[in-house]
Amino acid sequence: MCGIVGYVGRRQAESVLLEGLRRLEYRGYDSAGIALPENGGLRVIKTQGRVQDLRDKVEPVTIVGTTGIAHTRWATHGEPSDRNAHPHTDSSGRIAIVHNGIIENADQLRAELIGQGVAFASDTDSEAIAHLIAAALPHTTSLEAAVRSALAQVRGTYGLLVLDADRPDELVVARNGSPIVLGIGDGEMFIASDVAALVHHTQRVVFLDDGEIATVRADEFRTSTVGFDAEHTTKVPTTIDVTAAEYALAGHPDYLRKEIADQAEAVRRALRGRLDHRFATAHLGGLAMDPRELRGVSKVVFLGCGSAYYAGQLGAALVEELARIPATAEPASEFRYRNPVVDPDALYVAISQSGETMDTLAAVQELQRKGGRVIGAVNVVGSAIARQCGAGMFLHAGPEVSVASTKAVTNMAVSFAMLALLLGRVRDLSAADGKRIVDGLHSLPDAIDAVIADEPAIAQIAARFAKAQNMFFVGRVRMWPTAREGAQKLKEISYIHAEAYQGSELKHGPLALIDAEMPSVVLLPDDELLAKNLTTIEQIKARGGAVLAVTNADVPDDCADAVIRVPKTTPELDPIIFTIPLQLLAYHTALTLGRDVDKPRNLAKSVTVE
Ligand code: AGP
């Protein structure tokens, strides 16, 4: 949520910063800005709109300098506008800051500063930080000390990057609840809120921890704790295995299409080395739990937000079905606020693609505070949730750039199938059933590719349904989380209102909404509920509603107005396969409607604010 880029080194900073912003734009895209030292002062250029709009403003000017900061914004306080775009400066124009996060006492700080005669130039909560730093400068000996003093007055979350016109060879950066990573180059340093902005420059990185501040120069960085006691911290650079090539579009028109198409390979990566054919089970060494501990798990609780939560619902269904352990899923955003009873014998699973979602991180911290055992199911290595959990399953989906999550969600489901298999096999799941799941998991990549090969037909169906204002997604039991994910994908990128219902619930109310204007997507797996799901289709058709059936059952084409057929795998894994055509349906509906599929309105990729 919001992207930060900083550079100090030997190259012209302007182009490094603009390129970094372009790579981070998926984190926020309502406005953008850049600040560089110039002639003893600062040159700040910012604009409402996309990074390209900023580039159009900056490039004709050409700011010369080898240090600078930049930002792409997702609005929290203050509408998207030129004046609310970052960087923000103090009144003298000496200090510029870019900030991710939320300052909770911003109103109080603003009132106090206005009382002292400070004039504000924006409606943001962030601007106060620039004024506080400027006020502290005359009383301190370093920029870092001034930032430290300012942060002592601030309550809230921040990833903060500060530039001082009087010290053009250094930047100060601080982190509390919003990610900051340093990229270490050869005589140059990169700073970003996400490795995506760094990987085409360097693989050597340092992740700041919450409560850390750093002074960064071209050939060195020094970290310490943010408090006044300023204890030095030791950071050992790590080498990340993500490469710039993984961020390339590789011939696809957009990241969403690329990430949907990547899924077979992503699943292969998630399965690699984790399936045990001999004992028909899974190896998940990252859990750091021996068989006795696995047997001692009394219940499994999955926690995540949005699509990660729906994947958790699927995980809970798989655990109950395969391991016969009670399992539930809950939005992490709600869990942390309801004073949950934490069961010391339960296994809590924190699910997150980004590993930075504030609500999920806070749920992990709340669980740990109460003595709960929590593991991560996280895609981004080195992310806050992965580090906070310390144990878990990496998703190995590769970088996911498009705001709508696809391959990460698929790999969440695959990981939970392996977790359920492992938990089941240390209990009463038979070797024969274990083998069925192992074989099913093995066959998933080919089945995914078979669905993707059907894309032209799905695109035609999407074009037929794209004029709808509202849609139902109907799925029962195992297919219920898939129906919810299908509705989420459609509304997120096409802006068509979509709701998921269990077929069994339709007649208890929602059926009243069915008419010729309200199509339904009905998930029709070849399972024990097939006849009942066919009855649901009849009930919808009898009220004039159009039906798109997604099925792996041997049903006639005329059972619905349109039919998408998917391959059979293993019934427990059907929800994973059924998700893929729903992604393609949403994608092509959005394209038909001319939407920006990678950057849907009002959203951002990782939600690092409440
Ligand atoms: C998915 O398409 C959404 N963009 C969103 O619901 C997302 O899954 C959610 O914000 C959680 O993100 P995370 O996996 O990075 O924690």
Side-chain angles (χ1 to χ4, degrees):
M1 188 146 278
C2 301
I4 283 178
V5 190
Y7 178 74
V8 49
R10 48 195 162 74
R11 305 186 218 187
Q12 290 304 316
E14 178 190 300
S15 55
V16 176
L17 296 172
L18 287 173
E19 179 57 17
L21 284 188
R22 188 184 70 74
R23 291 171 188 272
L24 284 193
E25 196 173 22
Y26 66 100
R27 295 186 69 102
Y29 33 84
D30 61 45
S31 53
I34 187 169
L36 275 81
E38 191 182 58
N39 302 327
L42 293 178
R43 181 66 174 256
V44 180
I45 301 178
K46 46 195 200 172
T47 186
Q48 182 177 353
R50 299 285 170 99
V51 171
Q52 186 56 47
D53 299 310
L54 179 69
R55 193 179 275 275
D56 292 344
K57 262 188 164 175
V58 170
E59 280 183 345
V61 181
T62 307
I63 322 169
V64 178
T66 57
T67 304
I69 63 176
H71 191 262
T72 176
R73 178 171 186 250
W74 185 87
T76 55
H77 285 60
E79 59 174 14
S81 64
D82 287 6
R83 68 194 295 270
N84 287 335
H86 295 221
H88 293 290
T89 60
D90 72 304
S91 310
S92 74
R94 173 179 165 183
I95 295 293
I97 63 118
V98 292
H99 167 234
N100 289 353
I102 291 184
I103 305 305
E104 289 165 9
N105 58 340
D107 290 348
Q108 173 213 329
L109 293 173
R110 177 180 280 259
E112 286 169 9
L113 286 160
I114 290 172
Q116 293 161 23
V118 171
F120 274 73
S122 77
D123 310 316
T124 65
D125 55 336
S126 310
E127 186 187 341
I129 304 174
H131 297 298
L132 292 173
I133 296 169
L137 271 176
H139 315 291
T140 50
T141 53
S142 67
L143 176 61
E144 184 177 307
V147 174
R148 200 183 290 284
S149 163
L151 291 179
Q153 301 166 68
V154 159
R155 207 174 58 240
T157 55
Y158 49 78
L160 178 71
L161 178 56
V162 185
L163 170 64
D164 177 356
D166 286 7
R167 295 178 174 93
D169 298 334
E170 70 179 37
L171 296 170
V172 170
V173 64
R175 170 187 172 139
N176 182 39
S178 207
I180 292 287
V181 54
L182 312 183
I184 299 164
D186 183 10
E188 56 184 352
M189 295 281 185
F190 306 87
I191 295 158
S193 48
D194 185 324
V195 294
L198 308 176
V199 288
H200 56 298
H201 297 300
T202 180
Q203 253 69 46
R204 289 185 72 221
V205 301
V206 166
F207 295 98
L208 284 201
D209 284 309
D210 277 347
E212 272 186 325
I213 188 167
T215 296
V216 184
R217 301 196 179 89
D219 47 12
E220 61 165 1
F221 67 93
R222 197 185 56 236
T223 55
S224 52
T225 53
V226 148
F228 280 116
D229 46 354
E231 281 176 41
H232 173 71
T233 55
T234 306
K235 309 294 285 187
V236 180
T238 49
T239 303
I240 46 170
D241 61 3
V242 185
T243 63
E246 290 177 77
Y247 285 94
L249 275 172
H252 293 279
D254 46 65
Y255 281 104
L256 186 53
R257 175 67 183 70
K258 176 189 184 224
E259 287 158 12
I260 291 171
D262 262 0
Q263 288 180 105
E265 198 42 45
V267 170
R268 281 189 195 101
R269 274 199 301 275
L271 296 177
R272 199 161 292 143
R274 285 170 157 176
L275 291 182
D276 178 337
H277 290 267
R278 184 165 166 227
F279 292 108
T281 186
H283 287 304
L284 296 170
L287 301 187
M289 291 172 77
D290 63 29
R292 189 174 286 267
E293 288 174 291
L294 290 167
R295 277 204 66 113
V297 170
S298 63
K299 140 175 130 177
V300 182
V301 180
F302 292 86
L303 297 164
C305 296
S307 292
Y309 159 54
Y310 302 140
Q313 278 201 313
L314 178 52
L318 283 161
V319 167
E320 287 210 346
E321 205 166 353
L322 299 181
R324 307 304 300 158
I325 304 172
T328 56
E330 185 174 341
S333 46
E334 292 293 298
F335 176 84
R336 51 182 294 212
Y337 286 111
R338 63 171 186 80
N339 192 16
V341 175
V342 172
D343 179 348
D345 297 323
L347 180 66
Y348 294 87
V349 185
I351 317 159
S352 179
Q353 186 288 129
S354 62
E356 302 291 349
T357 299
M358 169 72 78
D359 287 314
T360 310
L361 178 61
V364 171
Q365 290 163 339
E366 176 71 358
L367 274 164
Q368 291 175 336
R369 191 182 66 74
K370 289 184 164 177
R373 172 173 221 149
V374 55
I375 60 168
V378 174
N379 196 36
V380 177
V381 177
S383 59
I385 295 170
R387 285 184 295 148
Q388 185 74 37
C389 291
M393 306 167 276
F394 280 115
L395 302 176
H396 298 299
E400 194 180 70
V401 173
S402 194
V403 165
S405 190
T406 50
K407 61 178 180 171
V409 169
T410 297
N411 276 21
M412 287 168 192
V414 167
S415 304
F416 301 153
M418 288 189 283
L419 177 66
L421 173 65
L422 175 63
L423 288 168
R425 288 289 291 136
V426 295
R427 289 180 173 72
D428 299 326
L429 187 72
S430 70
D433 278 334
K435 181 175 180 319
R436 215 168 37 74
I437 301 300
V438 168
D439 291 346
L441 284 167
H442 253 300
S443 69
L444 271 183
D446 288 346
I448 289 171
D449 275 343
V451 177
I452 289 172
D454 204 20
E455 183 177 359
I458 297 174
Q460 282 186 1
I461 291 172
R464 277 171 60 194
F465 284 84
K467 59 182 182 305
Q469 301 288 312
N470 305 283
M471 269 172 105
F472 278 165
F473 282 72
V474 182
R476 294 190 66 172
V477 190
R478 321 190 161 99
M479 286 295 164
W480 167 231
T482 303
R484 298 188 84 184
E485 172 59 9
Q488 164 96 336
K489 243 21 9 136
L490 187 75
K491 63 184 141 194
E492 191 173 22
I493 59 171
S494 76
Y495 317 149
I496 293 175
H497 173 235
E499 293 302 330
Y501 285 101
Q502 289 109 335
S504 52
E505 279 292 297
L506 279 185
K507 55 189 173 299
H508 297 290
L511 215 47
L513 294 173
I514 296 287
D515 62 14
E517 307 299 314
M518 170 72 94
S520 299
V521 177
V522 179
L523 306 182
L524 196 63
D526 189 8
D527 63 12
E528 58 284 1
L529 290 173
L530 178 61
K532 294 195 186 303
N533 283 324
L534 284 167
T535 303
T536 298
I537 290 178
E538 291 309 321
Q539 288 170 352
I540 295 170
K541 289 195 331 194
R543 283 148 186 92
V547 173
L548 163 58
V550 180
T551 188
N552 59 5
D554 189 15
V555 288
D557 283 344
D558 63 2
C559 74
D561 300 274
V563 177
I564 297 174
R565 296 189 185 272
V566 300
K568 280 190 182 166
T569 55
T570 304
E572 290 88 339
L573 305 177
D574 280 348
I576 303 176
I577 286 298
F578 275 61
T579 305
I580 313 297
L582 301 188
Q583 295 168 349
L584 287 167
L585 181 72
Y587 174 73
H588 284 285
T589 305
L591 283 188
T592 305
L593 295 171
R595 310 296 190 219
D596 182 340
V597 291
D598 280 343
K599 301 187 191 77
R601 69 184 181 201
N602 304 340
L603 300 179
K605 183 66 179 163
S606 31
V607 185
T608 53
V609 296
E610 281 196 63

